[in-house]
Amino acid sequence: MPPTNAKTSRSHRGRQEARRQELISRSLQSAQHCLEDDDFGTAYAHYLLVLNLAPELKATVKETFQFTLFKWAEELDSLARIQDLFNCYEQALELYPNDEVICNSMGEHLFRMGFRDEAAGYFHKAVKLNPDFADAKENFYRVANWLVERWHFIMLNDTKRNLTYLKAIENAVRSGCKSVLDIGTGTGILSIFAKKAGAPYVYACELSKTMYKVACDVMAANNMGSEIKLFHLKSLDIEIPKHIPERVSLVVTETVDAGLFGEGIVESLIHAWEHLLLQPK
């Protein structure tokens, strides 16, 4: 490039940078004025512009941006502008994807609106990002009380019951069952039993999003995340060969309870078993 053209290009870039800096400065000033006037929506828009123009300022304006976001979200909530509220949080999480405070706040809004599974996901993420974040931990435990039935804990601590399941699964696998499907896996305990018993192929399904995530964590903690194929599906929605290559030789489940007599669970389980279980020759 000739010297004159290079000088012109540098001059042009310099003017562009100067305009960018001026726009950033003006937007920051405008955002501050809007906050002083409690105009949180306009302040939020200014901060979005600043952060898109100058990502290097993310750390500098983070706390003020959070404050603005939360205040604007409160207004949107009071006006029942729910989609706008969610859009704001999605924009914020694109800018700060690993911000536990924003995740926790998003979860709080979702929980108040009745989206408990989704709220649990955001609280869980916030706790993972910062295990010492007390508000997020309290929120996660609170929503868990809504989503995780207390009988889960009783069952998990019933040693005799669990050993009986383990022995039955071990006997079935030793007798030739090579593929196992765990319907309503919950924490994943029966799937883990099947894998430890030596079953080469283990599949599990769980409808509850919260319990599905719990099962993912439990399996990962037991180094079986890649050994057990876990689906966030109803058993009736599992298709062959879309989800599993062929019918399994063993179905295990802990879904049979008092609901047996009032919720049609028997018919659903029989249908699933007939659809997914190898038929005896």
Side-chain angles (χ1 to χ4, degrees):
M1 182 182 292
T4 302
N5 290 343
K7 184 177 180 180
T8 301
S9 179
R10 286 196 298 272
S11 176
H12 177 68
R13 288 197 298 270
R15 288 194 298 273
Q16 281 187 322
E17 178 59 21
R19 286 197 293 269
R20 186 180 80 96
Q21 291 295 338
E22 182 181 2
L23 182 55
I24 292 168
S25 177
R26 287 184 177 180
S27 292
L28 285 172
Q29 291 176 6
S30 296
Q32 189 59 44
H33 291 320
C34 290
L35 288 178
E36 292 170 359
D37 295 335
D38 291 342
D39 185 358
F40 300 113
T42 307
Y44 175 77
H46 281 299
Y47 278 120
L48 278 185
L49 176 62
V50 168
L51 290 168
N52 280 287
L53 286 173
E56 66 273 13
L57 294 179
K58 282 183 180 180
T60 304
V61 303
K62 180 178 176 179
E63 289 188 9
T64 311
F65 175 76
Q66 288 175 342
F67 172 80
T68 306
L69 167 67
F70 300 156
K71 286 293 187 180
W72 179 225
E74 287 176 7
E75 282 193 26
L76 292 173
D77 194 6
S78 68
L79 296 169
R81 292 171 56 181
I82 306 306
Q83 190 57 56
D84 289 335
L85 185 153
F86 288 153
N87 289 342
C88 285
Y89 273 97
E90 287 175 2
Q91 292 166 341
L93 287 170
E94 285 180 8
L95 293 166
Y96 297 96
N98 296 317
D99 188 291
E100 70 273 18
V101 179
I102 295 176
C103 286
N104 183 64
S105 180
M106 175 66 156
E108 289 176 337
H109 281 286
L110 287 165
F111 184 77
R112 284 197 295 270
M113 294 173 191
F115 300 108
R116 291 168 183 162
D117 272 325
E118 292 79 1
Y122 281 98
F123 294 145
H124 188 227
K125 182 178 179 180
V127 172
K128 277 195 165 184
L129 289 168
N130 181 1
D132 296 323
F133 188 8
D135 287 349
K137 286 199 291 188
E138 182 180 344
N139 283 332
F140 182 67
Y141 294 144
R142 179 162 56 104
V143 75
N145 283 331
W146 285 91
L147 295 173
V148 182
E149 299 288 351
R150 295 188 180 277
W151 49 259
H152 274 286
F153 305 106
I154 298 172
M155 285 166 47
L156 288 172
N157 286 283
D158 188 339
T159 304
K160 183 178 179 180
R161 186 176 194 272
N162 292 336
L163 288 176
T164 301
Y165 266 103
L166 175 59
K167 186 175 180 179
I169 291 170
E170 286 176 339
N171 289 338
V173 172
R174 279 198 296 265
S175 69
C177 293
K178 302 299 183 184
S179 54
V180 181
L181 172 64
D182 180 6
I183 294 178
T185 192
T187 60
I189 187 171
L190 297 189
S191 297
I192 292 172
F193 285 171
K195 199 64 193 176
K196 286 187 174 181
Y201 309 104
V202 179
Y203 311 97
C205 61
E206 175 56 53
L207 181 59
S208 163
K209 184 180 291 185
T210 300
M211 293 310 301
Y212 168 79
K213 291 180 178 179
V214 168
C216 287
D217 287 345
V218 170
M219 290 174 186
N222 284 271
N223 298 315
M224 292 188 181
S226 60
E227 300 292 322
I228 300 170
K229 183 66 176 178
L230 178 59
F231 302 103
H232 180 216
L233 291 171
K234 291 171 61 178
S235 59
L236 296 178
D237 292 334
I238 295 177
E239 299 178 14
I240 300 170
K242 180 179 178 181
H243 299 107
I244 58 179
E246 58 187 6
R247 291 188 176 192
V248 297
S249 51
L250 176 65
V251 169
V252 296
T253 184
E254 286 188 284
T255 54
V256 179
D257 65 354
L260 180 72
F261 303 103
E263 299 177 9
I265 193 169
V266 171
E267 290 80 2
S268 296
L269 285 174
I270 290 174
H271 181 86
W273 291 345
E274 289 176 346
H275 176 59
L276 299 166
L277 190 62
L278 282 172
Q279 299 301 309
K281 295 180 180 180

